[in-house]
Amino acid sequence: MTALNTAPRTSRTAPARPVTPPAKPRNPWRVVITVAITVAVILVFWSVKVDWARTVNLPADIARYLWLMFSNPAWDKVPEALWQTWRSVEMAWVGCLLGIVISFPLSFLAARGIGPAPVRFVLRGLFSLIRAVPEIVIAIVILSVTGLTPLTGALALAVNGIGTLGKWGYEAIEGVHPGPIEAVHAAGGSRWQTVRWGIWPQASPEFVSFWLYRFEINVRASAVLGLIGVGGIGDMLTSYTQYREWPTVGALLIVVIIVTVAIDLTSGAIRRRITEGSRVRDLA
Amino acid sequence: MSAAEYPGLPAKPGGRWKIWLAIGIIAAITAVTLAPGIGVDFSLDAILRNWRNGTEKIGQLLVPDWSFFPRTIAPLWETIQMAIIASVIGAIVSVPLSMWAARLTNPNPVTRGIVRTLLNIVRAVPDLLYAAVLVAMVGVGALPGIIALVLFNVGIVVKLVSEAIESGDPGPGEAARAAGATQTQINRAALLPDIWPPFINQALYAFELNVRASTVLGLVGAGGLGLLIDAVRTFYRYDQLSLIILEILVVVVLIDWASAVIRKRVK
């Protein structure tokens, strides 16, 4: 291909000169690292307690179970499944709202230029600490106080939401254009007025957009939280899985998938409308 | 009034009602989600009843039971093994699938649509639900956890990489097409070199998510630290739970750091 690319140019400018392609770049480190990683991965595959020989039958097994689940789903369980899904979505919604309410002021305090340095440092540490702990573990910790109720799920999602929303929030604030902020300063605005008129109008679409995104995450996470018994669709799904009632499991999975995809699509459409604006009005 | 009194000023933009409408809808949904009977029960008396006992338990988190450490080593290692294996398998599977799912590398709208729809469905189910169902299918152990993580990985990596392909430069592909290459040759020679950096990036990102996810998969019997979490939580041994959480924190931070170093090198 190199020869093809260069041929017309050489023919036009100078008499034919043998075209020697440049030597391939060599990077000995790349080879060393690739080999090292490959060996490590092979060791991990070899050392894990999995009977790899058994995986030969796996596709057939899984196909059999998929058939059991989806060939004749237990449609009569759908009303109950929808009710439990509603419990999960409630958890997601309440958790999302609580997370927003708490993280909103904190993300401003954690942004450079607004919060004092020590506060900023502590808050950022807190956000990353929270983000590293899975929400199901947070739920296990707080259920000793709140018991096995949907409230526990909502609180766990709220705590986890503080970690992610706080981080996205201060990043959005720090990413705004400095012009309006300088303009507010120049007009003699206070710190509060800077936030209200210099930062918020720029950052608000992003904030609303990741609030919605967090709700999408919560919808998935709330289904998972049911596994420890706080109620909702996850709870129902684990019990029917343990009884190995595959037609019901199939129906529940269908409900989960449809509800999740529907919420994702709605939320995604709203997010696009907020961040990109309406096309129609731009043209008018 | 403004337009009449100050002819130089444009009218205030309309559409404020939309914000109030949005706030109204949010308030209505919130009211329903908190309504007694159908909503999240915000009963404070249960919290007050459990308060002393519960805070005592949570207080135990501050004094980790270090003697528990030897028992956590094997599950911790299994967690990391699951994450590594799932990331590798997921990454290998994701390369052809991302090419199938992107317009530049697969101009056929039918096959592209099929792959995308399937992946949207795969992504709609959270990893722990996969693990719960797979444990019932293939039995307790690391294997269902690995399969659940692979599904989770493929969902994310293919979505992110195919988006990266779409936003990439169509030039090399067009050049190869003009030179008479077939679609496979175009993908292999012209587009694949551009795909590697975002691919490695997203595969590493998925690996970070896997490490987090694999720590809790054991809660449903899929191996790793989660098995221990499940054991200590039934006995309310929060001092031991505290040690496990600490280990998760250390592992997650280390892996994130290593992955950040590699990603910086790739860029």
Side-chain angles (χ1 to χ4, degrees):
Chain A
M1 216 168 79
T2 333
L4 266 180
N5 282 344
T6 46
R9 191 179 292 167
T10 41
S11 65
R12 215 179 296 138
T13 50
R17 183 156 48 87
V19 181
T20 48
K24 270 205 168 180
R26 278 223 189 125
N27 191 340
W29 275 111
R30 172 169 281 187
V31 179
V32 171
I33 291 171
T34 314
V35 170
I37 290 179
T38 315
V39 169
V41 167
I42 290 171
L43 280 178
V44 169
F45 265 88
W46 173 73
S47 67
V48 76
K49 268 187 292 174
V50 168
D51 186 4
W52 292 111
R54 245 186 68 206
T55 57
V56 179
N57 300 326
L58 207 59
D61 274 356
I62 288 180
R64 192 163 54 85
Y65 282 111
L66 287 178
W67 174 254
L68 283 175
M69 283 195 283
F70 296 114
S71 63
N72 186 21
W75 297 118
D76 56 312
K77 294 290 197 310
V78 166
E80 166 73 3
L82 284 174
W83 164 244
Q84 294 297 345
T85 310
W86 163 248
R87 306 282 290 179
S88 292
V89 173
E90 271 175 355
M91 269 190 255
W93 180 269
V94 174
C96 189
L97 271 188
L98 277 174
I100 291 170
V101 169
I102 300 168
S103 70
F104 187 59
L106 294 184
S107 58
F108 278 93
L109 283 176
R112 199 169 290 125
I114 305 173
V119 175
R120 207 164 67 211
F121 186 73
V122 170
L123 281 176
R124 288 183 180 210
L126 183 71
F127 293 157
S128 46
L129 190 76
I130 291 174
R131 269 180 289 117
V133 184
E135 49 266 272
I136 202 157
V137 175
I138 298 177
I140 290 173
V141 168
I142 56 185
L143 71 80
S144 62
V145 176
T146 51
L148 281 173
T149 59
L151 179 63
T152 309
L155 288 176
L157 293 175
V159 171
N160 205 263
I162 295 170
T164 48
L165 291 174
K167 173 168 194 273
W168 296 338
Y170 76 70
E171 282 175 353
I173 294 166
E174 288 176 358
V176 300
H177 197 268
I181 301 173
E182 282 167 21
V184 177
H185 280 311
S190 64
R191 185 179 292 211
W192 159 247
Q193 285 166 327
T194 314
V195 170
R196 173 65 188 85
W197 302 108
I199 296 173
W200 178 242
Q202 291 190 70
S204 57
E206 258 184 274
F207 267 89
V208 178
S209 165
F210 53 62
W211 289 341
L212 281 166
Y213 181 53
R214 180 65 212 185
F215 177 60
E216 292 169 38
I217 297 179
N218 277 4
V219 169
R220 285 182 170 74
S222 65
V224 161
L225 286 179
L227 298 177
I228 57 163
V230 298
I233 188 73
D235 223 343
M236 192 176 173
L237 192 78
T238 27
S239 26
Y240 280 104
T241 319
Q242 276 159 6
Y243 300 139
R244 306 174 74 83
E245 281 200 28
W246 296 108
T248 312
V249 174
L252 295 184
L253 283 177
I254 293 174
V255 170
V256 169
I257 290 169
I258 290 179
V259 171
T260 315
V261 170
I263 289 178
D264 277 8
L265 288 178
T266 318
S267 164
I270 301 176
R271 279 197 281 145
R272 258 194 306 284
R273 175 67 182 74
I274 289 170
T275 48
E276 290 171 15
S278 83
R279 294 270 159 74
V280 184
R281 206 167 51 186
D282 288 347
L283 289 172
Chain B
M1 88 181 184
S2 57
E5 283 174 32
Y6 310 100
L9 285 180
K12 262 203 168 182
R16 302 296 288 180
W17 62 272
K18 278 184 195 156
I19 292 175
W20 290 109
L21 179 70
I23 291 174
I25 293 173
I26 291 169
I29 299 178
T30 311
V32 177
T33 52
L34 293 177
I38 54 163
V40 173
D41 206 3
F42 236 102
S43 64
L44 285 173
D45 55 314
I47 296 182
L48 287 178
R49 239 184 302 125
N50 291 330
W51 185 256
R52 176 163 316 162
N53 183 31
T55 44
E56 216 169 80
K57 292 286 173 211
I58 291 181
Q60 285 186 4
L61 285 177
L62 298 176
V63 264
D65 177 7
W66 299 108
S67 63
F68 188 57
F69 181 70
R71 277 188 55 200
T72 63
I73 295 175
L76 183 66
W77 174 230
E78 192 175 40
T79 286
I80 298 172
Q81 282 176 318
M82 278 167 30
I84 293 176
I85 293 175
S87 301
V88 172
I89 298 177
I92 294 171
V93 177
S94 297
V95 178
L97 282 178
S98 335
M99 289 188 144
W100 255 320
R103 191 174 302 129
L104 272 183
T105 40
N106 179 10
N108 183 341
V110 178
T111 51
R112 200 169 64 223
I114 293 172
V115 172
R116 283 189 183 179
T117 315
L118 278 179
L119 285 166
N120 279 334
I121 294 173
V122 167
R123 251 199 321 275
V125 182
D127 44 1
L128 264 169
L129 290 193
Y130 278 127
V133 175
L134 283 162
V135 165
M137 286 183 183
V138 300
V140 177
L143 187 59
I146 292 171
I147 304 173
L149 288 175
V150 167
L151 288 169
F152 167 76
N153 264 353
V154 169
I156 303 179
V157 175
V158 171
K159 180 177 164 62
L160 295 171
V161 173
S162 64
E163 277 168 9
I165 298 176
E166 304 245 301
S167 63
D169 180 11
E174 282 166 17
R177 193 184 304 281
T182 64
Q183 190 62 44
T184 320
Q185 289 172 325
I186 295 175
N187 291 350
R188 163 69 195 86
L191 296 172
L192 198 58
D194 280 351
I195 296 171
W196 283 128
F199 170 73
I200 291 173
N201 226 332
Q202 306 302 357
L204 283 169
Y205 171 65
F207 177 55
E208 290 171 36
L209 294 180
N210 273 342
V211 172
R212 281 182 174 74
S214 63
T215 54
V216 290
L217 285 179
L219 279 168
V220 294
L225 267 184
L227 285 173
L228 269 189
I229 297 180
D230 203 35
V232 300
R233 101 185 166 93
T234 36
F235 300 113
Y236 285 98
R237 287 299 301 269
Y238 276 30
D239 49 345
Q240 296 180 340
L241 181 63
S242 160
L243 182 72
I244 297 176
I245 295 177
L246 268 182
E247 287 175 8
I248 295 179
L249 283 177
V250 170
V251 170
V252 166
V253 168
L254 280 180
I255 300 269
D256 282 8
W257 171 79
S259 156
V261 169
I262 300 177
R263 280 202 246 179
K264 206 172 277 174
R265 299 277 311 182
V266 171
K267 266 181 203 162

